[in-house]
Amino acid sequence: MKTETPIRRQYLEIKKRHRDALLLFRIGDFYEAFDDDARLLARELDIVLTSKPMGKDFRVPLSGVPHHSLERHLATLIAKGHRVAICEQLTDAPIKGEDGKRLIERDVVRVVTPGTVLEPGLLNSKTNNYIAAFCTDGRRAGIAYADVTTGDFAATEIENNYALTELQRIAPAEILLAKTEHEFSNQALPGFVTAIDSKIFEPETANKILRKHFASKSLVPFGLENQPLAASAAAAIVFYLRETQIAAAEQLTRLTSYDAGNFMVLDAQTVRSLEIFESQSEGKSLLAVLDRTKTPMGGRLLRRWLRQPLMNVAEIVKRQEHIAFFKENREARIELSAVLENLHDIERIIGRTRASLCSANELLALSRSLRQIPRVRGILQKDSARFGTTLVNLPTCEQTANLIEKAISDEASASEKIGIIREGFNDELDRLRKLVKDGKNYLADLESRERARSGIKSLRVTYNKVFGYFIEVSKSNLHLVPADYVRKQTLVNAERFVTLELKEYESLVLNSQERLAELENSIFRQVCHEIGKNRQQISAAAQILAYLDTVCSLAEVADKFNYCKPHINDTSLLRIKNGRHPVVEKTIENFVANDAALGGNGAPNIALITGPNASGKSTYLRQIALAVLMAQIGSFVPAEEAVVGLTDRIFTRIGLYDRIGAGESTFMTEMVETAEILHHATGRSLILLDELGRGTSTFDGLAVARAVVEFIHNHPKLQSRTIFATHYHELAELADVLPRLENLHVEIEERGDELEFLYKVSPGVALRSYGVYAAKLAGLPKPVVRRAEQLLGEYEKDDLKSNISDFKSQNLTETESALLEIDLDGISPVEALMKLYELKKLAETGRAKTTSQKRSAA
């Protein structure tokens, strides 16, 4: 039978309460892990796994890290999705153990998870660190998210079908689910998933949690009185934070409800295809091009704007006006940028201050940042008509800055806990400091007096942490030691003594030092508390400064790269003159600009683009989508002119990839994503389809591609603005039967066997796909290229003969055959409408098409 040590029993008792977390147990200067936690820690941090005696005749696995390097190791563990329970020593002096042995009291002070991190070193300064919660009744879903470092806290209720897309937009580090939510827990959710007690999501329980946290009588102030699912998700976050670390929960002082319909929907596929935040190659992302922000706050806000393009014309226009000011007034922009560079992360500092986790240096940084606000106000007053509301809402926070400057010493150390309060701020503190300071002079005086009294010139009065204050005399001088000296310690070459006077002094000084440390720590906490009272005002200032940083950044980009201010309206129009790709134009010399026209006023709803590989079709698709996205965050766009009708969602089906891990081939992935588009697109959506149907046989792919185009064109509730790039030249015939479809092609210039890509998009159809030429450019062996050219000639010749034969037999009988094939009892209204379009065009153009094919053959 094992006989465990008291510290082992203490550890096991604490571990029992935190079975789902990696427990780091503070012992002296180390955080130690035992048993399976030790094996996990050693593996994840690549450190030594050893063992430690924890009882009679048995040892347990052990690994650990120094206390001063905890933050660095926490970053690694959190990045790998682990929950880490931090167990601290709560008492300096030991307490009695069960068996009479003395034991230091310990307990878990917080549980750190991916969504509850507060340490700056564990976070990306320009990225929000969200924790989200999700619940559903099967029809509708509640979603809430919070950033405990900034205090952002919001909730919404949406249709269940849109929940995953909304979670992908938020991109949380951690997601809370009820243990019964099996459907979503099996999906590829963004972030680390944590299951919590389902009872927390029950409406009555959730209501109580929120009302208690905010000390509110109802949920009306938060706009959640008629959104029980949103309230349940918000309550789950509050409950979880209170369970893991109370300081994080206290950061959430405001809760707002929002309508997801106020923002353009961007799903994960679209974000990836458009390379908004990350490039799929070695190039830049859109964010990298647009981000000229000077502060972490501005960087985070720009990311949020890119994830939440607006659906409100007035709000977009307001942003445009502010960007226009800084674009047109370069001196004001440069002046504001210089001020912004002196700002620290006000949002996160005030959050850490309220949680009593900040350092004195962070408070000084906060004060210096707040002192810049009057300079910012001076810049905005140059156009008070444009920035009137901003000026009214931008507080100076002078009271907070004054308090910090009065209380915190300029010489405060980031690591030391003493000497941080400025002299003159507290009388009692100044008195204790004088006592301790005079004590040093006293020791020097005592040493001088004792040397004179004893005649021992080498006598020293000194101190160490173990033995306190003492008088040290070398062995050769022991015969001169006065009779009132009391021996304290014997060394090899010396003896240490104390006197009654020295004992009294030691008691006085040590008590004063202890009281000094306690008082200074208490005063610092009081200062933090007073600053925390002004959090709402400081946060408001931080939000406005972040906003100004973001519009200034977009203005700098617009000025530097010659962007235009787009005209935004609530129509289906999309007009771009000489548009460019904001990222590609930075890497290609003499980028070729192109026009685009979709929706209303004579422009088609669908543009069908043909052209060879590497001719710029995909770039054209993406640059139009990026222009729309940029316009709806308020940014200027890379074009000569632009008119953008509000777009509720951008859909993309660009690029070849698969989900083998989910059991999907390339073609199946393509079909699943296309189905998502057709089920959710509206007349206000923008759809980008690139080479749809190429993952299967030619006829299968062609059939699917044509059916999709017809569906988008003819469905009365769809008819979205669509750009469809394809190698299926047969689809070009759709322009004869679909009135709102226009053929475009990318121009190519042939010079013998050589091609020149002109990258110019013009009306019409590309004559060939030039796939063999692309193979030649890719470096295929010459014999392979020659054989491919030979086979291509034969295939094209056979295909032409077949087409002529088919048209001879078809003529107007094609219309008759199509009529006879219709199942009048089984056809849907949408399919009937599509057939009417097709039959009308066939009847009008049947003979003309046959004649045209004959002439082409001749």
Side-chain angles (χ1 to χ4, degrees):
M1 180 177 177
K2 294 180 179 179
T3 304
E4 296 168 331
T5 61
I7 197 170
R8 173 66 174 174
R9 290 196 294 272
Q10 184 186 49
Y11 169 81
L12 291 176
E13 178 61 32
I14 295 172
K15 179 61 182 176
K16 190 187 300 182
R17 303 197 303 268
H18 299 278
R19 289 191 177 96
D20 61 344
L22 194 163
L23 179 60
L24 294 183
F25 193 75
R26 182 72 178 265
I27 299 180
D29 290 336
F30 280 80
Y31 287 101
E32 298 185 357
F34 303 103
D35 307 320
D36 289 340
D37 283 357
R39 298 184 182 96
L40 175 64
L41 189 69
R43 182 176 69 249
E44 296 291 41
L45 299 183
D46 193 22
I47 58 178
V48 174
L49 176 66
T50 182
S51 64
K52 185 173 186 173
M54 278 290 190
K56 187 177 180 181
D57 301 327
F58 82 95
R59 305 175 70 88
V60 297
L62 163 72
S63 62
V65 297
H67 74 94
H68 58 77
S69 62
L70 175 64
E71 189 169 300
R72 174 166 56 88
H73 295 305
L74 263 182
T76 302
L77 295 170
I78 295 303
K80 294 185 177 183
H82 295 293
R83 294 165 53 87
V84 183
I86 309 297
C87 180
E88 293 286 3
Q89 297 178 168
L90 302 182
T91 55
D92 293 328
I95 60 173
K96 288 276 187 177
E98 292 176 5
D99 55 0
K101 292 185 178 180
R102 298 174 71 78
L103 189 65
I104 292 175
E105 185 179 355
R106 295 178 176 86
D107 205 351
V108 170
V109 296
R110 62 194 179 115
V111 179
V112 185
T113 67
T116 62
V117 176
L118 287 169
E119 290 81 357
L122 274 62
L123 299 167
N124 182 331
S125 64
K126 285 196 171 186
T127 304
N128 279 103
N129 193 65
Y130 288 126
I131 181 170
F134 163 84
C135 61
T136 180
D137 62 6
R139 186 179 65 86
R140 292 183 65 77
I143 292 176
Y145 66 89
D147 184 340
V148 296
T149 68
T150 64
D152 293 345
F153 191 17
T156 190
E157 199 168 293
I158 57 177
E159 293 297 322
N160 200 53
N161 291 338
Y162 294 96
L164 181 59
T165 298
E166 179 65 6
L167 287 170
Q168 290 171 339
R169 181 194 65 75
I170 296 167
E174 184 175 3
I175 299 178
L176 307 178
L177 297 177
K179 290 180 179 178
T180 55
E181 295 291 355
H182 299 297
E183 177 188 350
F184 263 76
S185 60
N186 291 329
Q187 295 193 38
L189 289 171
F192 177 77
V193 176
T194 299
I196 63 175
D197 190 344
S198 304
K199 293 180 180 178
I200 304 303
F201 291 91
E202 293 177 359
E204 186 175 346
T205 303
N207 194 295
K208 288 180 180 178
I209 290 172
L210 289 178
R211 286 190 288 108
K212 181 179 179 181
H213 179 76
F214 291 106
S216 175
K217 293 182 178 180
S218 74
L219 301 185
V220 173
F222 316 112
L224 299 177
E225 67 276 16
N226 296 317
Q227 299 187 57
L229 293 172
S232 293
I237 291 178
V238 172
F239 171 82
Y240 182 70
L241 293 179
R242 289 197 170 277
E243 288 290 300
T244 54
Q245 43 183 310
I246 190 68
E250 294 300 327
Q251 300 294 76
L252 306 183
T253 58
R254 295 177 66 249
L255 170 60
T256 58
S257 60
Y258 70 98
D259 183 354
N262 292 335
F263 308 106
M264 178 196 292
V265 178
L266 293 172
D267 57 41
Q269 162 65 15
T270 298
V271 170
R272 180 175 59 248
S273 294
L274 298 182
E275 299 183 327
I276 297 172
F277 300 107
E278 294 180 0
S279 173
Q280 304 301 308
S281 60
E282 295 182 359
K284 287 185 174 182
S285 64
L286 176 65
L287 176 65
V289 172
L290 298 183
D291 191 0
R292 298 291 188 274
T293 57
K294 309 301 180 185
T295 71
M297 303 174 293
R300 292 194 295 269
L301 183 59
L302 178 57
R303 275 181 171 269
R304 292 201 294 275
W305 283 11
L306 287 170
R307 288 194 181 276
Q308 291 184 312
L310 298 171
M311 291 294 294
N312 184 300
V313 173
E315 183 64 25
I316 294 170
V317 170
K318 186 191 84 171
R319 290 182 185 178
Q320 286 182 336
E321 286 301 307
H322 292 160
I323 292 169
F325 171 80
F326 288 113
K327 180 177 182 286
E328 297 159 4
N329 296 273
R330 190 168 181 271
E331 289 185 5
R333 187 176 78 237
I334 292 173
E335 186 180 355
L336 179 60
S337 294
V339 174
L340 293 170
E341 284 180 341
N342 292 320
L343 297 185
H344 295 266
D345 197 341
I346 298 174
E347 280 184 327
R348 283 184 170 166
I349 291 177
I350 187 59
R352 286 174 56 77
T353 300
R354 197 170 186 277
S356 297
L357 294 173
C358 69
S359 67
N361 278 0
E362 285 178 307
L363 289 190
L364 292 173
L366 176 61
S367 173
R368 289 193 293 268
S369 299
L370 298 180
R371 287 301 188 199
Q372 301 298 319
I373 293 177
R375 293 181 61 191
V376 173
R377 294 180 61 86
I379 296 168
L380 301 184
Q381 284 166 351
K382 294 178 179 179
D383 193 338
S384 56
R386 226 184 297 210
F387 291 103
T389 303
T390 306
L391 282 164
V392 169
N393 294 328
L394 178 58
T396 61
C397 303
E398 186 176 1
Q399 182 182 0
T400 298
N402 288 340
L403 173 61
I404 294 172
E405 291 170 4
K406 184 179 179 182
I408 306 300
S409 170
D410 292 332
E411 287 76 37
S413 168
S415 57
E416 294 294 331
K417 297 295 184 182
I418 58 174
I420 59 177
I421 302 300
R422 189 183 293 275
E423 186 176 346
F425 184 73
N426 182 276
D427 293 340
E428 174 65 9
L429 187 66
D430 290 345
R431 187 188 70 78
L432 289 171
R433 282 177 174 167
K434 186 175 186 304
L435 185 63
V436 172
K437 182 179 179 182
D438 290 347
K440 294 179 181 179
N441 297 330
Y442 169 82
L443 287 177
D445 178 65
L446 177 64
E447 184 177 84
S448 177
R449 285 191 285 111
E450 289 301 315
R451 282 181 178 179
R453 181 163 77 99
S454 65
I456 305 171
K457 294 183 179 180
S458 60
L459 179 148
R460 293 191 306 126
V461 178
T462 187
Y463 166 86
N464 69 33
K465 290 182 179 181
V466 177
F467 294 99
Y469 289 92
F470 53 83
I471 299 170
E472 186 171 288
V473 179
S474 63
K475 287 279 181 77
S476 61
N477 291 308
L478 289 178
H479 63 287
L480 298 175
V481 170
D484 61 334
Y485 277 25
V486 178
R487 182 176 278 104
K488 189 169 189 176
Q489 184 188 16
T490 300
L491 304 178
V492 175
N493 298 315
E495 294 278 355
R496 290 174 174 173
F497 302 88
V498 293
T499 65
L500 181 60
E501 181 184 2
L502 191 55
K503 281 185 176 181
E504 290 176 349
Y505 167 78
E506 180 179 57
S507 176
L508 175 66
V509 169
L510 291 182
N511 287 337
S512 297
Q513 288 178 335
E514 184 177 338
R515 171 63 182 146
L516 177 63
E518 289 177 356
L519 181 58
E520 189 152 21
N521 186 44
S522 174
I523 294 171
F524 183 74
R525 289 199 305 269
Q526 289 173 13
V527 170
C528 290
H529 179 70
E530 288 300 315
I531 294 171
K533 290 180 180 178
N534 298 326
R535 174 176 179 166
Q536 189 169 348
Q537 182 188 64
I538 298 169
S539 295
Q543 290 169 12
I544 291 176
L545 293 170
Y547 174 86
L548 294 172
D549 190 12
T550 305
V551 297
C552 191
S553 172
L554 294 175
E556 181 180 339
V557 172
D559 186 29
K560 184 175 182 180
F561 301 124
N562 193 28
Y563 291 179
C564 75
K565 181 170 77 172
H567 175 70
I568 305 293
N569 58 41
D570 201 4
T571 70
S572 63
L573 295 178
L574 177 57
R575 303 287 188 274
I576 298 174
K577 181 179 180 182
N578 287 329
R580 314 182 309 273
H581 192 294
V583 179
V584 177
E585 72 168 342
K586 307 295 182 301
T587 59
I588 294 180
E589 194 173 349
N590 299 321
F591 184 91
V592 178
N594 276 295
D595 297 344
L598 289 173
N601 290 0
N605 271 37
I606 302 176
L608 189 77
I609 306 178
T610 50
N613 287 318
S615 62
K617 298 193 303 297
S618 295
T619 298
Y620 180 72
L621 265 66
R622 288 186 172 96
Q623 74 186 45
I624 293 172
L626 290 176
V628 171
L629 185 151
M630 290 170 65
Q632 287 187 220
I633 71 168
S635 172
F636 286 25
V637 300
E640 188 176 322
E641 295 176 10
V643 177
V644 177
L646 288 179
T647 300
D648 62 2
R649 186 165 182 174
I650 298 175
F651 291 94
T652 62
R653 170 84 281 285
I654 301 173
L656 281 174
Y657 64 95
D658 54 37
R659 298 176 184 148
I660 295 299
E664 291 184 10
S665 65
T666 300
F667 182 68
M668 181 56 71
T669 298
E670 184 179 65
M671 292 299 98
V672 168
E673 292 178 354
T674 303
E676 168 78 7
I677 293 171
L678 299 184
H679 282 300
H680 293 97
T682 72
R684 306 184 80 174
S685 301
L686 174 64
I687 300 175
L688 308 178
L689 298 172
D690 190 13
E691 304 298 350
L692 184 68
R694 59 185 166 181
T696 184
S697 71
T698 300
F699 293 123
D700 276 346
L702 178 58
V704 169
R706 175 164 180 160
V708 167
V709 173
E710 289 177 345
F711 187 82
I712 294 172
H713 182 279
N714 297 330
H715 196 295
K717 294 184 179 180
L718 201 58
Q719 300 181 10
S720 310
R721 291 163 292 181
T722 304
I723 308 176
F724 194 119
T726 184
H727 276 93
Y728 293 134
H729 291 188
E730 296 88 342
L731 292 178
E733 297 177 4
L734 285 170
D736 296 326
V737 295
L738 302 180
R740 293 188 301 278
L741 181 145
E742 180 183 23
N743 285 320
L744 302 176
H745 74 290
V746 185
E747 294 183 10
I748 300 292
E749 188 171 304
E750 296 188 54
R751 298 193 184 94
D753 293 336
E754 298 297 322
L755 298 178
E756 181 182 355
F757 295 146
L758 302 180
Y759 304 108
K760 194 68 179 175
V761 177
S762 302
V765 184
L767 299 177
R768 301 169 63 189
S769 292
Y770 301 100
V772 174
Y773 184 75
K776 177 182 176 183
L777 292 179
L780 261 64
K782 290 182 179 180
V784 175
V785 175
R786 286 196 295 270
R787 176 58 176 159
E789 289 172 339
Q790 177 187 354
L791 291 171
L792 178 63
E794 294 175 5
Y795 294 154
E796 288 178 340
K797 183 177 180 182
D798 292 342
D799 189 51
L800 180 59
K801 289 179 180 178
S802 175
N803 284 341
I804 293 172
S805 176
D806 289 343
F807 272 102
K808 283 180 178 179
S809 63
Q810 284 177 359
N811 207 345
L812 289 178
T813 59
E814 186 175 350
T815 306
E816 297 169 2
S817 298
L819 278 168
L820 292 172
E821 289 174 2
I822 297 175
D823 178 7
L824 295 177
D825 295 325
I827 193 169
S828 70
V830 172
E831 291 170 323
L833 183 61
M834 293 163 65
K835 276 295 180 185
L836 280 173
Y837 273 117
E838 185 177 345
L839 291 171
K840 183 173 183 294
K841 283 295 182 181
L842 285 173
E844 291 174 349
T845 62
R847 286 195 178 91
K849 285 176 62 178
T850 305
T851 303
S852 175
Q853 287 287 338
K854 289 178 179 179
R855 288 175 179 172
S856 298

